[in-house]
Amino acid sequence: EAQVTQNPRYLITVTGKKLTVTCSQNMNHEYMSWYRQDPGLGLRQIYYSMNVEVTDKGDVPEGYKVSRKEKRNFPLILESPSPNQTSLYFCASSSAPDRRIFRYSNQPQHFGDGTRLSIL
Amino acid sequence: AQSVTQPDIHITVSEGASLELRCNYSYGATPYLFWYVQSPGQGLQLLLKYFSGDTLVQGIKGFEAEFKRSQSSFNLRKPSVHWSDAAEYFCAVRSGNTGKLIFGQGTTLQVKP
């Protein structure tokens, strides 16, 4: 079954204690992305990766790191979490851009079930 | 700037009634538009998408959406709502360059029995 798997699903931790949220997809997708969801703001992109070893900042990257050493995995790292990073996080993946026009077009992004982080 | 607006934060409809959720976008190029649904405790499921061609697109679960370029809108519709449709709905446009999905704020749908 095609899926995006995030772990953990829930985490309560304290300020400053490093944590990693893992994301893995089994669809051989090149593109992967992290979003955070906050009430009234919808989802906002944190980081994205167009392929292995290629990552770039999204709209709200401060306080986060990512890595893409393998195609299937895209972990989100919070080196020193703070309370304002309490949120619901989603990992997503999609296939590569249309090679003819080199643009992401109609490929939908497939989402994981989310990770709810609470930073105390 | 690219943006998506869902004017209705919360909508309540009776079961069996018709539904329309509004979405307006601001995007410089040809928009690639999506509607996702999020049930409580779940991830986002794709309902339908539009990128070209017929402006009325059909999706899963009996949903459809109509793209109107002149109004910069991509409203989601369903003729008869079921109690299981209660969820949060997100409209999004995808950036052709970065692949980023730009989401609206979401509309929460409540269904009355």
Side-chain angles (χ1 to χ4, degrees), chain A residues 31 37 59 94 104 107 109, chain B residues 36 38 94 96 98-100:
Chain A
Y31 187 94
Q37 181 182 9
D59 294 323
S94 76
Y104 291 95
Q107 300 98 340
Q109 292 192 23
Chain B
Y36 284 88
Q38 183 183 26
R94 186 161 197 189
T98 69
K100 174 175 70 176

Side-chain angles (χ1 to χ4, degrees), chain B residues 6 12 15 39 50 62-64 73 81-82 94 102 109 113:
Chain B
Q6 294 178 244
T12 300
E15 189 167 17
S39 299
Y50 171 81
F63 286 93
E64 66 178 26
S73 68
V81 170
H82 188 262
R94 186 161 197 189
I102 302 159
L109 173 64

Side-chain angles (χ1 to χ4, degrees), chain B residues 93-112:
Chain B
V93 63
R94 186 161 197 189
S95 166
N97 293 327
T98 69
K100 174 175 70 176
L101 276 172
I102 302 159
F103 285 89
Q105 301 91 325
T107 298
T108 300
L109 173 64
Q110 186 176 4
V111 180
K112 292 190 301 185

Side-chain angles (χ1 to χ4, degrees), chain A residues 7 11 24 69 75 77-78 92 97 104-105 117:
Chain A
N7 280 295
L11 179 63
S24 180
K69 294 185 172 60
I77 303 155
L78 285 71
Y104 291 95
S105 55
L117 286 184

Side-chain angles (χ1 to χ4, degrees), chain A residues 36-117:
Chain A
R36 60 177 289 174
Q37 181 182 9
D38 300 291
L41 297 177
L43 285 84
R44 295 174 292 168
Q45 191 183 52
I46 303 171
Y47 267 95
Y48 66 98
S49 169
M50 293 192 178
N51 214 327
V52 175
E53 302 292 2
V54 180
T55 63
D56 209 344
K57 296 178 181 178
D59 294 323
V60 287
E62 295 78 19
Y64 304 95
K65 284 175 55 177
V66 292
S67 69
R68 187 88 183 276
K69 294 185 172 60
E70 308 164 279
K71 198 172 191 179
R72 64 182 291 127
N73 296 324
F74 190 45
L76 179 69
I77 303 155
L78 285 71
E79 295 269 4
S80 183
S82 63
N84 65 10
Q85 293 177 298
T86 292
S87 188
L88 180 58
Y89 291 85
F90 287 100
C91 180
S93 72
S94 76
S95 52
D98 188 323
R99 303 283 184 216
R100 296 168 298 174
I101 57 177
F102 297 98
R103 287 176 62 82
Y104 291 95
S105 55
N106 64 323
Q107 300 98 340
Q109 292 192 23
H110 300 263
F111 284 82
D113 286 338
T115 295
R116 187 167 292 282
L117 286 184

Side-chain angles (χ1 to χ4, degrees), chain A residues 2-20:
Chain A
Q3 58 185 1
V4 178
T5 303
Q6 298 178 224
N7 280 295
R9 292 290 313 279
Y10 305 90
L11 179 63
I12 301 174
T13 187
V14 296
T15 300
K17 185 176 181 183
K18 180 180 177 179
L19 67 91
T20 299

Side-chain angles (χ1 to χ4, degrees), chain A residues 17-33:
Chain A
K17 185 176 181 183
K18 180 180 177 179
L19 67 91
T20 299
V21 184
T22 63
C23 173
S24 180
Q25 50 93 5
N26 63 1
M27 294 168 278
N28 202 36
H29 283 163
E30 285 84 357
Y31 187 94
M32 297 186 75
S33 180

